[in-house]
Amino acid sequence: MAIEKKFAYMYIFLISDLRTTRARLLEMFTDTTCNPEIMKNATDAYFSLLQGFIASLDGTTQENKLRFMQNFKWTDTLQGNTPGAQQDAIFELISMAYNVAIWHTKFASRLAGKENVTEVDAKDVHRSLKFAAGIFKHLKEVHIPRLITPAEKGRDLEPRVIDTYIVQCQAEAQEVTIARAIELKHNATLIAALAFETANFYQKADGTLNTLEPECSSKWRKYLQLKQHFYMSYAYCYHGQTLLSSDKCGESIRSLQEAEKCYSRAETLCKEYRQTKGPGSTAKPSEQLFFTKLGGLIKNTLQKCERENGFIYFHKVPAEAPQLELKASYGLAEPISFEFPVLSEQCTPEVYATFDLTKGAKDEKAKPKREEEVIKPMKEPDLKPQKDTGCIIS
C-alpha cells in the first residue's frame, strides 16, 4: 500500500514538473537574456518529461495511453491568431520544438544587430541558423509523419511551409559566410559561387511557396525574391571581377551590367515587399548599409572595367549575360543534426501505471462548439538593431 502511495505522489510531481517546465520554456521565448545554453536546458527539461506521454513505458509496442489525453492549441506563422488544435502529445512536441527553432532564428537576428559583432558572434549566428534548420528537418522527417491528423494547408507543419523554413535558414547562414569572405577579401571566384548558391536557395524557397494562397504567402515570397535577386547581383558582380582578372574585359562588363539589372530588380522588390500586406514584420533592406554598399561596388567596378576596356582591351561586350555555372567548394551551410533528449528518469512504468484516464481531461471535441477562438499572441520584446553591421539576417 505504501509503495502505491509513493508512486501516486511521483505521478503528482511529474504532472507538476511538466507544467512548470512548459511554463519556463514559454517564458524563455520572450526573455532577452536567454541564450542557446539556457534554451537547451529549458527544452531538455520539458521534452524529456513530455516524452513520457509519447514513448511506450509498459514494455510493449502499443501506443502510449497518455498520448491523446490532452488537447493542445497552437497558432501558425501564416494564419494569424486563430489556432489549430490536436488532442495529441506529439502535436505539442512538434509545435514547441518548432518555436524553439524560430527562437534560434530570432536569436541570430538579434545577435547580428549588435553594435560590434565579433568573430565569436558571427559563429553563433551561423550556428543558430544551421541548428534551426536541423530542428525543422528533424521534425519533418521523423515526427510530423507520426501525427494522426495531417497538417491543414497553409499551417506550419505542412511540407511547403516547413521546407521553406529549412531552406531559408540555410540561405541566411550562408549570408554570414559571404559577409565573412568579403571581409577577409577571399578570392572573388569563391564569393561569386557562394552568392550564386545562396540566390538559388532563395529561389528554391520562393518556389516552394508558389502554390500557397497569395493572401498569406505574398509578403514572404516578396522577401525571398528580393533576396534572390540581391545575391544574384552579388554573384554577377564578383564573377565580373574574376573575368577581369582573367583578361576577359568584355565579358566582365556584361556580367557587371547583369549585376546592375539584378540590383535594380531587387530595389523594386524591396518597395513591393514593404507595400505588400501579410503576416510578419516588415524590414527595410533597401535602406540598410549592406544594400547600398553593393550598389556602389557594382557601379565602381563597372566603371573600372569600361575604362580598362577603352584603354587596353578593346573587347566587344557580348549581347548575352554569362551563364553562371558556379559551384562553391567551401562555406555551404548544412543543417546541424538534432535529436530530442532521452526520456526523463521520472517517467517509469510504475508511475505510468498510476495514470487513470477516466479521471483525466475529457475530449474537447465533445464540447459544444463555440465561436472561432482567437489566441492572443505572446508579446515579443521590440529589439531594434543597434547598428547596421552589413549582416542581412531577417
Side-chain angles (χ1 to χ4, degrees), residues 257-270:
Q257 288 173 343
E258 194 66 19
E260 272 193 328
K261 181 180 175 182
C262 291
Y263 184 79
S264 178
R265 178 59 182 150
E267 285 184 309
T268 301
L269 284 165
C270 282

Side-chain angles (χ1 to χ4, degrees), residues 100-111:
V100 172
I102 295 292
W103 178 88
H104 277 279
T105 67
K106 291 180 179 291
F107 174 77
S109 178
R110 189 167 76 240
L111 201 58

Side-chain angles (χ1 to χ4, degrees), residues 192-211:
L194 284 170
F196 181 64
E197 299 269 20
T198 303
N200 287 340
F201 267 137
Y202 279 117
Q203 184 178 37
K204 180 181 177 182
D206 175 50
T208 304
L209 290 180
N210 67 2
T211 55

Side-chain angles (χ1 to χ4, degrees), residues 186-356:
H186 277 290
N187 189 290
T189 303
L190 173 61
I191 297 172
L194 284 170
F196 181 64
E197 299 269 20
T198 303
N200 287 340
F201 267 137
Y202 279 117
Q203 184 178 37
K204 180 181 177 182
D206 175 50
T208 304
L209 290 180
N210 67 2
T211 55
L212 279 179
E213 291 71 11
E215 60 269 20
C216 66
S217 65
S218 291
K219 191 177 187 69
W220 196 356
R221 290 194 64 197
K222 288 291 183 187
Y223 174 79
L224 297 170
Q225 289 164 12
L226 76 87
K227 283 292 193 77
Q228 178 207 340
H229 283 83
F230 180 80
Y231 279 100
M232 280 302 292
S233 181
Y234 248 125
Y236 276 113
C237 178
Y238 278 89
H239 184 58
Q241 293 183 26
T242 301
L243 291 170
L244 181 61
S245 66
S246 301
D247 296 324
K248 297 178 181 179
C249 196
E251 293 177 44
S252 174
I253 291 172
R254 187 62 188 88
S255 186
L256 284 152
Q257 288 173 343
E258 194 66 19
E260 272 193 328
K261 181 180 175 182
C262 291
Y263 184 79
S264 178
R265 178 59 182 150
E267 285 184 309
T268 301
L269 284 165
C270 282
K271 294 174 185 176
E272 293 177 3
Y273 164 69
R274 291 172 61 179
Q275 294 168 358
T276 303
K277 295 181 179 179
S281 58
T282 303
K284 299 178 181 179
S286 60
E287 297 178 8
Q288 302 300 320
L289 186 60
F290 76 85
F291 199 96
T292 56
K293 267 185 175 180
L294 177 59
L297 177 64
I298 294 170
K299 181 180 178 181
N300 293 336
T301 309
L302 178 57
Q303 289 176 347
K304 175 185 175 182
C305 289
E306 288 174 336
R307 285 196 306 270
E308 295 298 308
N309 202 42
F311 279 103
I312 303 172
Y313 295 102
F314 303 102
H315 289 172
K316 182 179 179 181
V317 177
E320 297 293 327
Q323 291 295 314
L324 297 184
E325 298 178 355
L326 308 173
K327 190 72 178 174
S329 302
Y330 309 97
L332 295 178
E334 292 294 333
I336 293 175
S337 179
F338 172 81
E339 293 286 343
F340 282 105
V342 297
L343 185 69
S344 170
E345 293 180 355
Q346 292 177 252
C347 303
T348 65
E350 293 79 12
V351 174
Y352 178 72
T354 63
F355 279 85
D356 184 357

Side-chain angles (χ1 to χ4, degrees), residues 86 144 147 149-153 155-159:
Q86 290 195 34
I144 291 177
L147 290 171
T149 305
E152 298 175 22
K153 290 182 178 180
R155 294 283 180 181
D156 280 350
L157 305 190
E158 75 123 307

